[in-house]
Every structure is written in C-alpha cells, then in structure tokens.
Amino acid sequence: MGKPTGFLEYERQARPALSPAERLDGFGDFHGELTGAQRREQGGRCMNCGVPFCQSEYGCPLHNLIPEWNDEVFAGNMGHALSRLLKTNNFPEFTGRVCPALCENACVCGLGGEAVTVRDNELAIIESAWENGLMTPTPPAVRTGKRVAVVGSGPAGLAAADQLNRRGHTVTVFERDDRPGGLLMYGIPNMKLEKSVIARRVEKMTAEGIEFVCDTGIGRDISGEELKAEFDAVILACGARQPRPLGVENETLPGVLPALTYLTAATKAVLAGGESEHSAGGKHVIVVGNGDTATDCVATALRQGAVSVTQLVRRPRPAETSRVWPYRSQNEKTDYGQEEAAAVSGQDPRMYETTVKALLSDENGFLRAVVVKTPEGERELPAQLLLTATGFSGAEASVAGAFGLGLDARGRLGDDGYHTGEPKVFACGDLRRGASLVVWAIAEGRTCARAVDAYLEGYSNL
C-alpha cells in the first residue's frame, strides 16, 4: 500500500472539464487531465481494503486488480500499473471513458466520503501507455491453424477476437456497418468516446493479425452455412438492438425515432463533416428515458441547435439521500447532458413521473406535439422530434436465423456455457445476456473466447 493515510490526506479530484456552456460548441472530448503529481495523489487515496469490493461482483465485472494498479499509480510506476490493468481488461481506453464506474459505487472509501477516482486512474494509465509507445502490436509467435469468425465488432466481439488472436487462432471479424466498433462507434457520441480512440485500437488489432470485414451482413451478404463451412468456430456477438416500443398510437410518425437511429446518424454526420439527416436543429425535442443513452440524446440535440430539449422520466424524482451501498440509484445523478441543458435553459430538462399518452401530427403528417400524463394532469408539449431511449427488447432475429437458431422469449441466444444449438456456433455479449454495459460486454467476450478455445483445443489457458 503506497500511502496508508492517503484517503485521509487527499481530496477526490476528477478530470477537469470545460464548463457546460463552453463544450456545446463542438462534439469533441471536453475533458483534460490532471498533472502527474495530482494523479499520484488520486492513486494514493485507495485504501487497499481487506475486502476490495471494487473488484468483486459488486463492483467490476472484469474483476480489475484495482488496488494493485492504484498503488503503482501512487508510486509513479505507470508501466507496472499497465501490466496489472491489461491482465483483466482488453480495452481500458473504452471503459475509462464510458463505463458508469460500478467500481466507484462499491468503493469502501465512498462510505464516509468520496470514492476513489478509479475510472479516471484507469484512463490515465492506458493513455500514458499509448503516449509513451507501450501499446505496440504484439502478434502471436505461433498460429494454431484454427480459424474463428466473430460476427459483430462491438466490445464483446472485439474482446473475444483479441483473446483468441493472442491464443494463436486466426480471427476474422464481420461487421455490418461501415466501420468497426458496434455501439462504441455509433451508439456512443463523440464527446464521450472520440472515434479516433476506436480506430487506434482497431489498427493495433489489425497489425496483430485480426482481419476486419465491414459492410457485410450475415444472412444478407454471407450465409450462416458459408461461415460454418469456412471457419472452425463462429461467435455471434451482434448485440441486442431491437428497440422497445413506446406502446402508443402513431409511433411510426415522421419525427419519432429510436435513440440508436438518431445517435448513429449524428455520429456519421460528425465523421463526414456534414449535417445529420435527423438533425435536431431548430426543433423542439423530447427524449423519453433516463439512462445514459437518453443523456447522450439530450447532449447531442443541444449541440445540433435544438430550440428546446425536454426529458421525460417515468419514475418519481428520487430523494437527495437515496443510496444503498454498494449500489447507487442512476436516477439521482445529474450527468453531462442535464448540466448542459441547464446551462442553456436555466433548469433541469427532466420531467419526473411523466409518460407519453399520445402523439399528434400536423396537416402534413409529421409530428407536431406530444401529449404527456403528469401527476398534475395531461399536458401538450410541442415537439418536432421525439427520441425513444427506453431500452431494448432483445436482439434482432436475422443473424440467429441465418444459422437456423431462434431467440428466447426475451430476445436472447446462448446458454451459460456460451453455446447455442449449433455445435460450432457460440454467442456472447448483449445477444446472450440482454442489453447491458460495455464492461459486461468485454467480460462476456473474454469468457466466451475461453469456451471457444477449449472447444478448439480441448483445453484453454486463456
């Protein structure tokens, strides 16, 4: 333990950020970094608990060795910290930016004060490694001769591909979109995860021998039978993208969009340097939902020049003190999107205990207003764009159907061993467990890779 009294001496200090008003000028990352001395202090706040809940099932699904690399950060040994970090996490540059930091919710230091800046420390370690040339390609010295196809290049697919490539198997990743990354690329906006970060990692994986085939849909461009004939094993990691419907009439009105459709178009416009086909510019926007995706929609609409943004939340406003360790209510936090909306309008954009009752159209058939039900009664809110961020009802059936497989009642595929009904076909990530977090997807990909390796070799040392 580097500093036994560090949690008493040092205050929590998060990464600096531009003010909410300043960062609305663009889609870039609006965070800076602490100095080396400040970062070491943040590592020194780790208590090295007798039972580190941060890396247990209550904290990190990857079981990151958090006290170990925090100790190395405090000592200034960023190279040693990197070696501990990469033992459990293939992509700390992703989780260090977009993970909701379950580890910090479980931090014992947070019981009597502020939790350790685990996520920021993790990001500092991996970015220091990239900056100092420590993340060079390391292709396997020996190949096994076995070939594996991974369908889907989100965090689960990338993690599975990375693990199996390290083992020496030859891996090809198929992606139906034009760029690898899955929801990392088109489900998370630039200000949270700049796409150069994904491109940098994909370039490294390509140099290590992994092949990426984009603009290719399984069941559309290649059949399931062709994949099974060409490869020794197939991993389906194509996510759970089926949007959950609102359950009201006129849901297909022009102007009503699933959040993922909207965010995908916004990111493609940013990358192309143009305007989104679903831009919120000049419109009254309503976002339904209260998760991270809803926040991303709020923030994106503001940057596109929305006239107003209102966020509808079904649940009651939580009490200020509502908290049960090691979990905290996601409803109580004010995230970056709400901060930015308040900077523009002077108030929190969220309306609690509010549901959509009806959608109204104009004379041309486009959305013009939303009727909502509130504790005070019904209200009509002007809206030309309604974004539904109400979660997902499961996976799309097309890829599973290409292999003659069916989804269960919750839209999932695969068992606890990551097997499907086809002997050489495996499933992982959101497709297997349902829509979840990036950190869970990486954990799924790693464990599935072990199952596939054991299937191919009779054992696994992954």
Side-chain angles (χ1 to χ4, degrees), residues 48-70:
N48 196 14
C49 312
V51 180
F53 290 95
C54 59
Q55 65 183 60
S56 74
E57 61 180 308
Y58 298 107
C60 181
L62 288 168
H63 304 296
N64 280 335
L65 306 175
I66 294 166
E68 295 185 28
W69 45 256
N70 271 330

Side-chain angles (χ1 to χ4, degrees), residues 15 92-93 96-97 119-128:
R15 288 192 295 156
E93 65 268 40
R97 287 177 166 88
R119 183 177 62 186
D120 285 0
N121 292 354
E122 173 183 353
L123 183 58
I125 294 167
I126 189 65
E127 287 304 319
S128 172

Side-chain angles (χ1 to χ4, degrees), residues 274-350:
E275 183 175 343
S276 170
E277 62 176 317
H278 301 303
S279 175
K283 298 175 183 177
H284 293 283
V285 179
I286 292 180
V287 179
V288 183
N290 196 38
D292 291 334
T293 302
T295 296
D296 293 338
C297 288
V298 170
T300 301
L302 291 170
R303 283 164 173 77
Q304 290 179 341
V307 174
S308 69
V309 181
T310 304
Q311 185 178 350
L312 305 184
V313 182
R314 183 181 58 186
R315 298 172 182 171
R317 184 186 295 273
E320 289 292 328
T321 57
S322 65
R323 175 184 172 199
V324 180
W325 185 82
Y327 301 105
R328 295 176 182 172
S329 168
Q330 292 296 306
N331 292 330
E332 66 183 0
K333 71 176 182 180
T334 298
D335 211 332
Y336 79 110
Q338 290 81 42
E339 291 175 349
E340 292 165 0
V344 173
S345 67
Q347 62 183 16
D348 193 310
R350 290 172 287 194

Side-chain angles (χ1 to χ4, degrees), residues 195-427:
K195 306 316 167 189
S196 59
V197 174
I198 303 171
R200 179 180 66 182
R201 174 60 73 166
V202 169
E203 182 179 351
K204 179 177 183 293
M205 295 174 71
T206 301
E208 292 171 338
I210 298 174
E211 181 183 5
F212 289 88
V213 180
C214 294
D215 282 320
T216 303
I218 307 305
R220 182 189 70 193
D221 303 303
I222 300 178
S223 70
E225 290 301 318
E226 287 176 305
L227 277 191
K228 289 193 294 181
E230 186 176 349
F231 293 90
D232 299 292
V234 178
I235 296 176
L236 305 183
C238 39
R241 296 189 175 198
Q242 193 66 38
R244 183 176 287 119
L246 277 177
V248 297
E249 292 185 11
N250 297 334
E251 243 183 285
T252 58
L253 276 178
V256 181
L257 290 174
L260 187 55
T261 300
Y262 171 70
L263 293 174
T264 297
T267 296
K268 287 185 175 181
V270 170
L271 293 174
E275 183 175 343
S276 170
E277 62 176 317
H278 301 303
S279 175
K283 298 175 183 177
H284 293 283
V285 179
I286 292 180
V287 179
V288 183
N290 196 38
D292 291 334
T293 302
T295 296
D296 293 338
C297 288
V298 170
T300 301
L302 291 170
R303 283 164 173 77
Q304 290 179 341
V307 174
S308 69
V309 181
T310 304
Q311 185 178 350
L312 305 184
V313 182
R314 183 181 58 186
R315 298 172 182 171
R317 184 186 295 273
E320 289 292 328
T321 57
S322 65
R323 175 184 172 199
V324 180
W325 185 82
Y327 301 105
R328 295 176 182 172
S329 168
Q330 292 296 306
N331 292 330
E332 66 183 0
K333 71 176 182 180
T334 298
D335 211 332
Y336 79 110
Q338 290 81 42
E339 291 175 349
E340 292 165 0
V344 173
S345 67
Q347 62 183 16
D348 193 310
R350 290 172 287 194
M351 293 177 58
Y352 289 93
E353 295 185 81
T354 305
T355 55
V356 175
K357 185 175 181 181
L359 306 177
L360 306 179
S361 61
D362 61 18
E363 62 276 8
N364 297 315
F366 290 87
L367 178 71
R368 70 168 178 84
V370 176
V371 178
V372 298
K373 183 178 179 181
T374 73
E376 293 77 30
E378 293 184 6
R379 289 180 57 185
E380 183 177 311
L381 303 176
Q384 293 81 47
L385 183 61
L386 174 68
L387 306 174
T388 59
T390 52
F392 301 92
S393 58
E396 297 166 326
S398 58
V399 173
F403 294 90
L405 300 168
L407 305 175
D408 68 13
R410 294 177 62 185
R412 300 175 304 177
L413 175 67
D415 60 21
D416 289 343
Y418 300 86
H419 303 281
T420 66
E422 285 286 328
K424 64 163 63 175
V425 181
F426 296 75

